[in-house]
Amino acid sequence: ASPAIRAVRASGRTTAFAGARRWRPVALAASLAAVAFIAAELHTPDSYRTGVGEQRTVSLPDGSEVVLDTDTSLRVVFSEGARRVELAQGQALFQVAKDASRPFTVVAGVGSVTALGTQFVVRRDPAEMIVTLLEGSVEIVQAPVAQASPGVAPPEVEAPPVQHVVLRPGQQVRGSKAGLARIEAPRLDEATAWQSGRLIFADQPLDQVVDEINRYARRHKLRLGDPALRGLRVSGVFDAGHTESFADALAVSLGLRIVAGRDGETVLLPRQAAAK
């Protein structure tokens, strides 16, 4: 228990053993009010959010720090025995303060990440969760659940076993409804470059690169105007949120043409193709 809770509990015991003739209703009410206030303080959730193209650093009550990336939303619920963060969407870097009595758990859709004191990045996309460990050790736990069609009762089948892995520094794992993928060792500068406003790509397909660039674009989002462009490979370091300069760089390096699309889009096309 926290020092404040121990003090309230001690106060309650002392008053109770002092005898009925010395009991004061006001003292009892004050003690109960203090307990209620502390419980509310421990259990009241806090929500944090960033807009598109925005980043924010948040200091949590336990001394941990969270860096929220673009378009990220999370909810913090701390109690006397646990620290829980629910990542609703986006990406965040967690620098966890050590507290062996209260595990720190991040829940991100299809799985959860638990640590005592460490540094890691969690990204939640619509279809998957990505965890990258920078320091310390974390355990990722996932329990795939069979999905039923709307209005149809779920099939009565045995639930699949819970999957879990323990990561070491420099490792990354992806999780989806199908389960946890094999552990990988990505370039950590790529995984954390967004903190300094940069995006690093190493031989990645153009469609994935465009999706990532658009996460940081407040306006003038990119669109591929020809499906044949999806597989083109991209490498380089780019400034997050600078869509126009990124499009110009692609036009030069990949031989593409830039045209204005609907709703302020920037459309990328092969040199000889017509806009669609």
Side-chain angles (χ1 to χ4, degrees):
S2 68
I5 290 178
R6 288 197 297 268
V8 171
R9 289 174 176 170
S11 174
R13 287 196 296 268
T14 302
T15 304
F17 287 115
R21 285 178 294 181
R22 298 182 60 186
W23 187 264
R24 293 290 186 272
V26 174
L28 174 61
S31 295
L32 292 176
V35 173
F37 174 79
I38 293 170
E41 186 179 49
L42 287 171
H43 292 277
T44 298
D46 292 315
S47 297
Y48 304 94
R49 182 176 180 82
T50 54
V52 174
E54 179 187 4
Q55 292 183 358
R56 178 184 180 187
T57 299
V58 175
S59 296
L60 302 184
D62 67 331
S64 299
E65 283 197 349
V66 184
V67 182
L68 283 70
D69 194 13
T70 176
D71 197 20
T72 295
S73 176
L74 58 81
R75 182 171 178 265
V76 178
V77 185
F78 281 5
S79 66
E80 184 179 354
R83 297 174 290 172
R84 177 186 173 96
V85 176
E86 300 168 1
L87 182 62
Q89 67 181 52
Q91 177 172 238
L93 182 145
F94 297 88
Q95 178 69 58
V96 179
K98 293 184 179 180
D99 185 349
S101 65
R102 292 199 300 167
F104 190 103
T105 299
V106 179
V107 179
V110 297
S112 64
V113 186
T114 300
L116 292 177
T118 188
Q119 187 176 23
F120 57 95
V121 177
V122 181
R123 174 164 170 170
R124 180 176 179 179
D125 290 331
E128 68 176 355
M129 170 189 72
I130 306 172
V131 182
T132 306
L133 181 62
L134 306 179
E135 297 177 3
S137 178
V138 295
E139 180 183 37
I140 295 91
V141 177
Q142 182 174 17
V145 178
Q147 301 294 313
S149 301
V152 178
E156 295 184 0
V157 296
E158 183 179 353
V162 173
Q163 298 185 10
H164 75 278
V165 297
V166 176
L167 296 186
R168 296 194 302 270
Q171 293 183 332
Q172 180 184 85
V173 70
R174 296 170 181 262
S176 65
K177 292 180 180 179
L180 297 175
R182 64 183 179 86
I183 295 175
E184 300 176 346
R187 288 180 51 182
L188 294 185
D189 58 345
E190 294 180 24
T192 59
W194 57 269
Q195 296 178 79
S196 57
R198 297 177 302 141
L199 298 175
I200 301 177
F201 304 108
D203 195 36
Q204 293 181 233
L206 181 57
D207 58 344
Q208 294 181 14
V209 171
V210 167
D211 287 343
E212 188 67 10
I213 289 291
N214 282 339
R215 292 183 61 239
Y216 298 84
R218 291 188 175 94
R219 53 194 182 93
H220 302 309
K221 292 185 180 293
L222 296 177
R223 178 168 64 88
L224 298 182
D226 190 327
L229 300 179
R230 294 175 181 170
L232 295 178
R233 315 302 290 190
V234 176
S235 297
V237 181
F238 304 92
D239 292 329
H242 291 243
T243 311
E244 294 86 350
S245 60
F246 174 75
D248 291 339
L250 288 184
V252 173
S253 61
L254 299 178
L256 303 180
R257 185 161 58 95
I258 302 173
V259 299
R262 59 180 182 274
D263 300 326
E265 288 181 324
T266 298
V267 182
L268 299 176
L269 291 165
R271 285 290 184 192
Q272 305 302 320
K276 297 181 181 180

